[in-house]
Amino acid sequence: DRAGQFSGMPDGISNGLQTTQAASPGIDGITKLVQSAQSTIKQAQTDAAQNRPTTDPTDLGETNKSDALNKAAVAGSFTLTAGATEVTVTAVAGDTVRDVVKQINDSGIATASINSKGELTIKGTGSDDLVITAGADTVFGSTGLADTHTGTSATSDVRANLEQQFNDLRTQIDELAKDAGFNGINLLAGDKLSVIFNEKTGLNQNKLDIQGEELSAANLGIGEAGAAGGIDFQDDTALSDAADALTAALTSLRSTASTLGSNLGVVQTRQDFSKNMINALTIGADNLVLADPNEEGAKLLALNT
């Protein structure tokens, strides 16, 4: 009788197993999409690094790089401004152009270099416009660098295209999660799955409740590119923040996959147990009530004789 009651369990367990297994490739697919989004961010950062705000080359009045670097700087100062950051560069008596270049390179917001023709170029390290003001020409002893000089960051078409690719990937994350369900239950849409393991009811019932998680780009912390308050692909800080968010999203997906894998192992184990239990109960019952035809035939023959 118990074997008969138990016989319906494997079907329900199998249904739960398929529902759990359907979510697994969904997580794998979303993980790959997030990794592709990471790639677009890295490409945008590479493009940004190649297109920093740069001042026009300034002739320091020397014929080569070495002479220009060793030229005495004129005492004075000027400021470098990028976004909300402002750094003052100061030359004192005895300083050379090399000393001033080092201060610029140490500023964190700009780098300075002198080419073989003795021309000075100052480049921003970020995507903000770089503004040089107040007496830079005095420090370098040159009238070629204006008192106010701006290196402007240009809008990159490459990053604009990558921005669209990023949003397409973000949309596909949401769409893929919606398609990871089985038989009306989707663990990647936040649904709950209850897998019943025995034939009992109430407190004696044995079951596993698997609470799904709603996976979407927004819930994973992946913001939309180009939207108000979203990811600005033309801005270094925004790209860096987006890269951090994608790393956190992958960590979250690995955690979800681990939990799902653990639940899947439990369901598979209980499925095998249920099948074996039904066989054991059936064979045991048969041994108790079914006669051995050979033995009974021999007994009948003996009685007849």
Side-chain angles (χ1 to χ4, degrees), residues 233-251:
F233 266 57
Q234 307 295 332
D235 181 77
D236 281 11
T237 301
L239 289 174
S240 179
D241 290 344
D244 291 343
L246 289 170
T247 299
L250 287 176
T251 300

Side-chain angles (χ1 to χ4, degrees), residues 55 78-81 122 130-134 136 145-151:
T55 63
F78 61 94
T79 60
L80 299 170
T81 305
I122 300 177
L130 178 68
V131 181
I132 306 168
T133 56
L145 189 61
D147 285 346
T148 299
H149 197 89
T150 302

Side-chain angles (χ1 to χ4, degrees), residues 81-137:
T81 305
T85 304
E86 182 177 290
V87 176
T88 299
V89 177
T90 303
V92 298
D95 281 351
T96 64
V97 170
R98 187 188 306 275
D99 297 320
V100 178
V101 167
K102 183 178 184 305
Q103 286 190 61
I104 296 172
N105 290 335
D106 291 342
S107 69
I109 61 172
T111 60
S113 61
I114 295 178
N115 62 20
S116 59
K117 298 178 182 180
E119 295 176 328
L120 170 74
T121 300
I122 300 177
K123 178 183 292 188
T125 57
S127 53
D128 292 317
D129 292 347
L130 178 68
V131 181
I132 306 168
T133 56
D137 56 330

Side-chain angles (χ1 to χ4, degrees), residues 12 53 61 67 76 96 103 105 149 163 199-200 215 218 232 247 263 268 276 290 297 302:
D67 288 344
T96 64
Q103 286 190 61
N105 290 335
H149 197 89
E163 182 179 281
E199 79 285 9
K200 301 182 184 301
L215 290 184
D232 182 0
T247 299
N263 289 327
Q268 287 176 323
N276 292 333
L290 295 182

Side-chain angles (χ1 to χ4, degrees), residues 174-193:
D174 294 346
E175 296 300 322
L176 192 152
K178 293 176 183 177
D179 292 335
F182 176 80
N183 202 22
I185 298 178
N186 188 345
L187 293 176
L188 302 189
D191 293 343
K192 182 178 179 179
L193 172 67

